[in-house]
């Protein structure tokens, strides 16, 4: 492994997992329940997603193998510690290119009924794999769906998760997620029209529809009044280390 590779793998030692609930609201009084928890990666250096380090880890097979080994261990701990929780895991399109990713997916197959796999919006790094038409025609969604996992298209309308991608994979999608972060700078009425259109599509094809980026009660209640009752964001709860894992993290790191 090169010196640069050693540095990147060392950076992995700074990673830890947090969870953020996806909330299902039952009424306009904000009576909510947790549908499932999205599993997110954070770095101890700044408690943010380590974007640059993560992208370097998945840009080649050897580094991705090391990352998957780490993630598998940490995620299995969550599965064992919280046997009644449902979890969402994010997989970058680039990672589906590597056999070790699929070995990991196969290893968690016994728990597939409580695991959703989110395909992120990132455009694959590998040039040979980057052509969107190729990814559209050979999406991993159909394989994941047949295996029994809930399939999720993350951050629709951004990156490679376009309307075309959704339209080409209608039969293999269980949930769509859209983030209000992508609409910053636009007027509220314009944002609402986009949400309404995607929500209409989701209803027609019986997809769950989650709005991310909810950071205040006004936004939450406004969307609930329009039927958008699956939400995620700081208003409901910030990403956090699940209580039972906090002591373990302190001991390890």
């Amino acid at each position: 492994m090169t010196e640069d590779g050693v540095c990147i793998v060392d950076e992995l030692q700074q990673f830890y997992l947090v969870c953020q609930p996806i909330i299902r609201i039952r009424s306009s009084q904000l009576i909510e329940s947790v549908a499932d928890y999205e599993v997110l990666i954070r770095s101890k250096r700044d408690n943010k997603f380590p974007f640059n380090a993560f992208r370097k880890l998945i840009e080649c097979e050897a580094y991705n193998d090391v990352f998957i080994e780490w993630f598998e261990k940490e995620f299995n701990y969550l599965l064992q510690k919280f046997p009644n929780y449902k979890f969402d895991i994010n997989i970058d399109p680039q990672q589906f290119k590597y056999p070790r990713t699929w070995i990991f997916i196969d290893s968690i197959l016994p728990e597939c009924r409580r695991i959703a796999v989110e395909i992120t919006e990132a455009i694959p790094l590998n040039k040979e794999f980057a052509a969107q038409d190729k990814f559209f025609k050979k999406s991993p969604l159909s394989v994941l769906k047949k295996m029994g996992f809930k399939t999720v298209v993350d951050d629709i309308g951004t990156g490679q998760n376009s309307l075309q991608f959704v339209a080409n994979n209608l039969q293999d999608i269980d949930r769509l997620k859209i983030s209000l972060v992508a609409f910053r700078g636009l007027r509220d009425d314009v944002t609402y029209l986009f949400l309404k259109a995607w929500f209409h599509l989701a209803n027609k094809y019986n997809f769950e529809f989650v709005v991310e980026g909810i950071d205040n009660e006004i936004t939450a209640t406004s969307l609930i009044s329009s039927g958008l009752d699956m939400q995620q964001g700081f208003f409901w709860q910030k990403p956090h280390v699940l209580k039972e894992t906090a002591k373990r993290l302190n001991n390890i790191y």
Side-chain angles (χ1 to χ4, degrees):
M1 186 176 292
T2 64
E3 183 177 343
D4 183 57
V6 172
C7 291
I8 293 301
V9 172
D10 285 346
E11 188 68 23
L12 180 60
Q13 304 307 312
Q14 300 296 319
F15 289 10
Y16 65 98
L17 297 183
V18 295
C19 293
Q20 186 177 39
I22 296 171
I23 301 297
R24 192 188 302 275
I25 302 96
R26 290 187 287 138
S27 75
S28 58
Q29 282 83 36
L30 301 185
I31 300 173
E32 77 278 357
S33 61
V34 175
D36 37 53
Y37 287 90
E38 182 177 4
V39 179
L40 301 165
I41 300 168
R42 293 292 182 265
S43 171
K44 285 180 58 185
R45 297 190 188 282
D46 56 11
N47 297 316
K48 295 179 180 179
F49 174 62
F51 180 82
N52 291 330
F54 175 76
R55 293 300 275 177
K56 286 186 177 296
L57 279 166
I58 67 169
E59 72 181 4
C60 75
E61 186 171 354
Y63 299 163
N64 181 73
D65 288 357
V66 175
F67 168 78
I68 289 293
E69 182 179 358
W70 170 84
F71 185 82
E72 182 174 14
K73 178 182 177 182
E74 297 300 312
F75 183 54
N76 277 328
Y77 182 82
L78 286 177
L79 289 174
Q80 294 166 15
K81 198 68 177 178
F82 302 93
N84 297 318
Y85 286 21
K86 293 182 178 180
F87 293 102
D88 294 17
I89 58 173
N90 292 278
I91 299 183
D92 188 290
Q94 174 79 8
Q95 293 179 281
F96 287 110
K97 178 179 182 290
Y98 306 127
R100 184 65 179 82
T101 301
W102 287 104
I103 292 172
F104 160 65
I105 292 172
D106 190 61
S107 75
I108 58 175
L109 187 57
E111 299 285 356
C112 66
R113 293 304 175 189
R114 62 188 186 104
I115 298 173
V117 179
E118 296 190 19
I119 293 183
T120 71
E121 74 281 7
I123 296 174
L125 296 166
N126 186 282
K127 293 180 179 179
E128 184 179 323
F129 194 64
Q132 288 204 7
D133 284 346
K134 183 175 181 179
F135 191 73
F136 289 151
K137 294 175 182 178
K138 197 176 181 181
S139 164
L141 285 167
S142 60
V143 178
L144 295 167
K145 179 90 169 178
K146 289 175 183 176
M147 293 176 78
F149 293 99
K150 176 179 285 188
T151 54
V152 184
V153 180
D154 194 22
D155 285 343
I156 51 174
T158 62
Q160 64 98 23
N161 288 349
S162 64
L163 175 60
Q164 181 187 354
F165 179 74
V166 172
N168 286 359
N169 292 279
L170 292 171
Q171 71 279 8
D172 297 316
I173 296 171
D174 293 310
R175 174 187 289 173
L176 299 177
K177 297 182 74 177
I178 193 167
S179 175
L180 294 181
V181 174
F183 296 94
R184 287 177 180 169
L186 295 179
R187 288 173 21 178
D188 289 346
D189 59 329
V190 174
T191 297
Y192 177 73
L193 289 174
F194 275 97
L195 294 178
K196 185 178 180 181
W198 278 110
F199 185 43
H200 180 71
L201 184 152
N203 281 338
K204 286 295 182 181
Y205 292 98
N206 297 313
F207 302 154
E208 292 181 338
F209 188 71
V210 177
V211 181
E212 298 182 274
I214 307 296
D215 59 9
N216 62 79
E217 185 173 348
I218 293 175
T219 300
T221 54
S222 176
L223 295 179
I224 292 167
S225 67
S226 299
L228 297 164
D229 59 1
M230 291 191 73
Q231 301 181 8
Q232 182 178 0
F234 282 15
F235 170 71
W236 296 107
Q237 193 168 49
K238 293 181 179 180
H240 62 286
V241 175
L242 291 183
K243 186 175 181 181
E244 286 78 355
T245 65
K247 183 177 180 181
R248 175 173 177 268
L249 285 169
N250 289 335
N251 289 337
I252 292 178
Y253 301 116

